[in-house]
Amino acid sequence: MNKTLIPGLALHAQNRTIYEVSLRVGKGVLSVMDVQEGEDVDGQNERNLTISSTDLEKLNDLLSRVTYTSTVYHIKTEDLAYFSFENHEVIFPIEIRRPSVPVLYDPGRDINSQVTVLVKAFLRYKELRVLIKSIRVNYPNLKIIIADDSHNPEKIDGDNIEHYIMPPAQGWFAGRNLAVSQVTTKYFLWVDDDFLFLNEMRIESFVKIMEAVPELDVVGGEVDGNRFAFKLLYQEGNSDEGGCITRVRATHGPVPGLDGCFFVDGVVNYFMGRTDAVRRVGFDPFLKRVAHTEFFIDGLGGLLVATCEGLRIGHQERKVTGDYNKYRFPPKSDSDQKNNHHFFKNHLKCIKY
């Protein structure tokens, strides 16, 4: 709703006795600034504007002063402008948006002020303590945020650890939401509670990549050699049936300037995220037990994701525990309920993994 110059308006034509152009818009009004006596402008502050002159240079001077003002408040929309001369017409868009306020993060002087490690914990306290010990080998002061929905929570001691206790068995994505909501750094590193930081593992390598390509929102590493990088092929359906999503193990191609990095749609469960970008997508708390790809489906077209070689983390020995496995591998009825929700929420008729 502010008057704004339309840049670049001009007419290029051969000699005429008179030059007349018209402009029309749908969601605002047009005007010419500083119209002088003798300048032929009709339709000031209206949706239809006509400008004429016997001199092409003077006409283009008037066109250089044409402004647009939206008249209906909206934070993000667009209008179409129709610019006509004789039997020629050009159509161009005008973006209407409310300017957003920047959100800046103090980079500080070291990794501790740039990254927070996030963990979702459930029952596996022995593995969680091993993970924390491995983090502290190279990162004694790095903040660790733990979202814990265990039935009988145990106290986790240590400096720079925030341990949030949730109602029991709230689930995987609810815990992720809680953990991400408490991050105050520009980036976070997501790890599972049974991962193991290796001696050669450096969080700084993630940050270097994210800073080199500021458009990146998520960068995935590899867990025991597995990068689990994938593309999501989405075919839009009609309003009755919905579309189809197919997950394939492939990439969209290399990230320019970064050897070993490739654009993808989803990565393994070990990744660095740009905090504000991931918050905008969020994690669907309906998905309690088995969920991972669903986050990247929700972020499709909104998150720029890459996978990079050499960003390794270890995995502790996998152990069978009855209570944990009961939740980790839910009954078929839970899977059916999850699929029903997924198909409805994303308006799908098929999913192929």
Side-chain angles (χ1 to χ4, degrees):
M1 303 182 78
N2 292 313
K3 185 175 289 189
T4 306
L5 275 171
I6 300 178
L9 279 183
L11 175 66
H12 302 275
Q14 306 218 352
N15 290 335
R16 301 286 199 280
T17 304
I18 188 166
Y19 302 90
E20 183 175 289
V21 297
S22 63
L23 291 106
R24 59 186 172 89
V25 293
K27 297 180 181 178
V29 295
L30 300 160
S31 64
V32 178
M33 294 193 305
D34 304 324
V35 176
Q36 304 297 317
E37 186 177 350
E39 293 179 331
D40 194 354
V41 177
D42 182 39
Q44 284 278 61
N45 297 310
E46 297 178 6
R47 292 187 178 185
N48 295 279
L49 181 71
T50 301
I51 305 171
S52 60
S53 177
T54 57
D55 186 297
L56 182 59
E57 186 176 340
K58 290 182 178 179
L59 180 85
N60 283 332
D61 177 59
L62 289 166
L63 286 173
S64 72
R65 292 184 262 137
V66 173
T67 66
Y68 173 90
T69 307
S70 62
T71 53
V72 178
Y73 178 78
H74 201 289
I75 63 168
K76 188 175 183 181
T77 186
E78 66 175 24
D79 200 350
L80 289 177
Y82 296 81
F83 182 28
S84 302
F85 170 69
E86 295 179 348
N87 61 337
H88 305 285
E89 185 175 66
V90 172
I91 305 172
F92 59 90
I94 297 176
E95 183 183 15
I96 303 167
R97 65 179 176 87
R98 178 84 169 177
S100 55
V101 178
V103 177
L104 305 180
Y105 291 87
D106 182 359
R109 297 185 177 182
D110 56 27
I111 197 68
N112 300 314
S113 57
Q114 296 175 316
V115 180
T116 304
V117 174
L118 305 186
V119 188
K120 164 66 179 65
F122 183 66
L123 300 179
R124 300 187 295 192
Y125 286 104
K126 180 180 178 181
E127 288 82 354
L128 176 61
R129 290 186 172 95
V130 170
L131 167 66
I132 294 172
K133 185 177 180 181
S134 72
I135 295 172
R136 291 306 185 217
V137 171
N138 291 314
Y139 301 100
N141 299 313
L142 196 67
K143 181 186 285 188
I144 302 171
I145 292 178
I146 302 166
D148 186 352
D149 62 344
S150 302
H151 295 287
N152 298 297
E154 298 181 14
K155 186 177 180 181
I156 302 297
D157 296 315
D159 295 332
N160 293 317
I161 293 177
E162 295 180 5
H163 186 197
Y164 293 93
I165 306 300
M166 304 168 61
Q170 286 300 295
W172 181 231
F173 272 14
R176 276 189 169 185
N177 276 331
L178 172 57
V180 171
S181 74
Q182 299 305 303
V183 175
T184 58
T185 53
K186 185 176 183 179
Y187 306 112
F188 67 84
L189 183 69
W190 188 269
V191 297
D192 280 359
D193 56 4
D194 60 348
F195 284 177
L196 187 69
F197 273 47
L198 306 173
N199 287 332
E200 70 272 18
M201 185 262 181
R202 291 293 179 269
I203 298 175
E204 290 85 349
S205 299
F206 278 101
V207 174
K208 185 177 180 181
I209 292 168
M210 299 285 277
E211 291 288 302
V213 185
E215 295 84 5
L216 283 174
D217 298 308
V218 173
V219 171
E222 56 183 78
V223 181
D224 271 358
N226 178 19
R227 284 194 286 153
F228 188 60
F230 56 86
K231 288 199 310 183
L232 294 169
L233 308 179
Y234 176 49
Q235 295 177 305
E236 292 186 69
N238 57 41
S239 59
D240 294 326
E241 288 193 311
C244 283
I245 288 181
T246 303
R247 187 182 72 191
V248 295
R249 296 291 289 272
T251 75
H252 293 291
V255 178
L258 292 177
D259 292 339
C261 291
F262 301 86
F263 289 119
V264 291
D265 292 319
V267 293
V268 72
N269 198 31
Y270 165 56
F271 59 85
M272 178 164 286
R274 194 175 299 274
T275 303
D276 55 354
V278 172
R279 278 181 182 153
R280 284 195 294 269
V281 176
F283 301 89
D284 186 350
F286 183 90
L287 303 170
K288 294 181 177 294
R289 303 292 164 249
V290 181
H292 181 68
T293 301
E294 291 79 5
F295 162 68
F296 294 104
I297 290 175
D298 286 345
L300 192 62
L303 296 175
L304 187 61
V305 184
T307 181
C308 294
E309 298 172 352
L311 304 174
R312 298 176 57 244
I313 197 169
H315 198 293
Q316 298 176 45
E317 181 183 355
R318 292 172 172 82
K319 298 179 180 179
V320 177
T321 56
D323 287 344
Y324 179 82
N325 285 346
K326 181 176 68 173
Y327 289 91
R328 178 64 179 82
F329 304 104
K332 185 177 182 300
S333 59
D334 282 14
S335 297
D336 291 342
Q337 189 179 29
K338 169 191 162 182
N339 286 335
N340 289 340
H341 171 75
H342 199 26
F343 275 65
F344 171 77
K345 172 187 165 185
N346 298 118
H347 192 48
L348 300 173
K349 65 179 178 182
C350 59
I351 305 173
K352 302 174 184 177
Y353 286 167

